[in-house]
Amino acid sequence: MFLTITTTGTTEHPATDLGFLLHKHPGKAQAFATSHGTAHVLYPEATDERCTAALLLEVDPVALVRRGQGKGRGGTPDAALGQYVNDRPYAASSLLAVALSSVFRSALKGQCAARPELPERALPLRIEVPVLPARGGPELVQRLFGPLGWASVEAVPVRLDAEFPEWGDSRYVRLVLEGELKLADALRQLYVLLPVLDDAKHYWVAPDEVDKLLRAGDGWLAGHPEHQLITARYLSRRRGLTRDAMERLELVRLAEADGSEVEEIDNAVDESQDTEERPVPLAVQRRDAILAALRAAGAQRVLDLGCGQGQLVQELLKDVAFTEITGVDVSMRALTVAARRLRLDRMGERQAARVTLFQGSLAYTDKRLAGYDAAVLSEVIEHLDLPRLPALEYAVFGSARPRTVLVTTPNVEYNVRWESLPAGHVRHGDHRFEWTRDEFRAWAGETAGRYGYEAAFLPVGPDDPEVGPPTQMAVFTLVNDSESANESPKEGKAA
Ligand code: SAH
């Protein structure tokens, strides 16, 4: 079974750049051992104008059978013979998809250490899979690849026997995709859609397949008109997994539709290290730090102000020490996603009694915010225009007045350490400002003083000796309850 990837180029952008992208030198033929045979990568042509890489998987059918995984769907009526005579060695299937992902691992992730700018470029691509099993035929191939940005999708049925056309077509097609796409996008599509078209997997589909699907489907699957069929087939129609994946895709769609996109750069998992131990995402470290500070303060009734999609609320619910949890956000979209994430509609009565979500703006005082032990503002203040900030200060510290207030915000000094962040950029398009450690301390100190609080500061994430931690957190504790709760904000009373 094999596939070829061809690109064309110029002197300025030679086609042989493909070798950098695939991390495989065009001058060499290489072989890699995989669990089901040997994968070969070779370049039938490699000039500045045109370069083709071929991935050829030599499957060991006997090894497949020994592993008890060689039973293709349908096949010959003679089961015993079927173990040895089947299409697995020849047809592009999940075996090829797995080989693709292990041999071209970095390319799939869009990583190219030698030429970091290359993966971002859309290339003129031609991908050919000569024998692709397609349950659903050429028509389904069109429906699957059609919406994915290819200029042309060609799926020609392969005759059962070239000499006897009257025998008709086999269930295989010859697939040719042509268009300008990023190589990583093309490879991730194939990784998912080859086994989907084959509609069979050579291995047991475990729950982590949902993660793999969502990772490979990032950017194209959620909005694909056939996402349901793709998801069900990819997960071998395992119902629980399919439902789980469909729900997560729904969240992705809602987040994509939401202007106030909440996935921030520092929430992303850094997958650059191929080690077993993934670094803990900053968003998780932030939630852990918040939970620890809330526990230290002995808080039971907690407000999550600007709760976004409800990740913190979800964590708070897991600890019965938090008896009442209220999430507030100005974005109805975000609240809808949060409600789904928490499965509010399916929650038992006692859990449901602990949690409330409502829409509100922190730029206005709100009676519903009174009477809580603690309020959290996690990555929220930087979303307000600076002139509106005093109104938020008043609404939270002056009017709601919980004993403890936790505020986290990016430390702009750390931005030079984010490799993916161009110099001088903020971490998220909606950030109105990002502060240095000094600026944050000055703001927190002044606000605490004005409303009768004391402020302490904690780093979140690795505390860099030069630039400090990626996230800074202030813990405000109410010290002077008699301090005028009615003092008006600097720029006049909000609302
Ligand atoms: N607290 C979450 C979300 C941070 S994103 C987290 O730590 O991941 C910032 C959130 O603040 C968004 O959901 C946005 O809708 C909300 N927000 C921005 N301005 C707001 C305002 N004036 N009132 C209430 N929520 C606001």
Side-chain angles (χ1 to χ4, degrees), residues 260 262 264 267 304 306-308 329-331 334 360-363 378-380 383-384:
S260 70
V262 187
E264 311 207 355
N267 285 357
D304 184 7
C307 64
D329 204 287
V330 76
S331 157
S361 170
L362 301 167
S378 163
E379 308 297 282
V380 174
H383 289 266
L384 272 84

Side-chain angles (χ1 to χ4, degrees), residues 119-341:
E120 282 310 307
R121 196 185 304 149
L123 301 178
L125 290 175
R126 180 182 189 280
I127 293 184
E128 176 168 356
V129 187
V131 186
L132 172 69
R135 281 181 69 87
E139 188 254 338
L140 182 61
V141 177
Q142 291 293 348
R143 263 161 51 211
L144 294 187
F145 285 100
L148 293 177
W150 297 96
S152 124
V153 177
E154 191 185 299
V156 182
V158 176
R159 289 254 167 83
L160 262 181
D161 191 310
E163 286 185 31
F164 300 96
E166 64 275 19
W167 288 6
D169 294 332
S170 68
R171 68 182 185 92
Y172 303 94
V173 301
R174 175 175 151 271
L175 172 71
V176 181
L177 302 167
E178 285 181 318
E180 291 223 354
L181 270 83
K182 290 181 200 169
L183 182 67
D185 292 343
L187 293 178
R188 290 187 297 114
Q189 293 172 11
L190 290 168
Y191 172 74
V192 173
L193 296 180
L194 293 183
V196 162
L197 281 162
D198 188 24
D199 202 12
K201 280 218 166 162
H202 67 280
Y203 53 90
W204 172 244
V205 172
D208 70 338
E209 289 286 297
V210 177
D211 294 324
K212 288 189 203 161
L213 173 65
L214 283 153
R215 228 178 290 144
D218 186 32
W220 63 271
L221 181 56
H224 195 295
E226 296 291 346
H227 65 272
Q228 188 161 2
L229 176 143
I230 295 168
T231 304
R233 280 196 179 190
Y234 186 89
L235 297 168
S236 297
R237 297 193 175 76
R238 290 193 57 192
R239 276 222 212 122
L241 297 185
T242 304
R243 193 181 329 117
D244 185 22
M246 292 295 292
E247 278 180 12
R248 285 170 60 183
L249 287 172
E250 174 75 16
L251 294 178
V252 173
R253 263 193 306 282
L254 283 167
E256 280 170 356
D258 191 352
S260 70
E261 189 208 329
V262 187
E263 195 62 35
E264 311 207 355
I265 179 170
D266 47 356
N267 285 357
V269 186
D270 178 5
E271 296 201 70
S272 58
Q273 282 112 324
D274 278 352
T275 49
E276 280 299 303
E277 272 181 53
R278 287 267 164 73
V280 180
L282 184 57
V284 174
Q285 297 188 45
R286 197 154 46 218
R287 286 197 284 279
D288 287 347
I290 290 168
L291 287 169
L294 288 173
R295 286 184 187 122
Q300 297 187 321
R301 310 184 62 221
V302 179
L303 276 172
D304 184 7
L305 302 176
C307 64
Q309 304 188 353
Q311 291 94 335
L312 178 65
V313 172
Q314 189 171 32
E315 289 306 310
L316 289 166
L317 270 170
K318 290 180 188 160
D319 185 341
V320 292
F322 303 113
T323 54
E324 203 176 320
I325 303 148
T326 298
V328 181
D329 204 287
V330 76
S331 157
M332 204 56 217
R333 279 268 179 204
L335 291 170
T336 310
V337 176
R340 273 176 203 263
R341 174 191 304 279

Side-chain angles (χ1 to χ4, degrees), residues 329-410:
D329 204 287
V330 76
S331 157
M332 204 56 217
R333 279 268 179 204
L335 291 170
T336 310
V337 176
R340 273 176 203 263
R341 174 191 304 279
L342 300 169
R343 299 168 191 247
L344 275 189
D345 53 335
R346 276 178 263 167
M347 207 176 252
E349 228 169 278
R350 280 174 65 182
Q351 279 293 77
R354 289 171 62 208
V355 54
T356 312
L357 300 179
F358 66 78
Q359 190 181 22
S361 170
L362 301 167
Y364 302 93
T365 56
D366 189 332
K367 287 204 183 70
R368 295 173 294 179
L369 304 185
Y372 285 84
D373 301 326
V376 179
L377 288 152
S378 163
E379 308 297 282
V380 174
I381 57 171
E382 65 275 10
H383 289 266
L384 272 84
D385 288 322
L386 269 174
R388 296 300 285 158
L389 205 51
L392 173 141
E393 293 158 21
Y394 179 70
V396 176
F397 296 93
S399 167
R401 265 182 111 60
R403 221 176 345 108
T404 305
V405 180
L406 307 180
V407 177
T408 78
T409 194

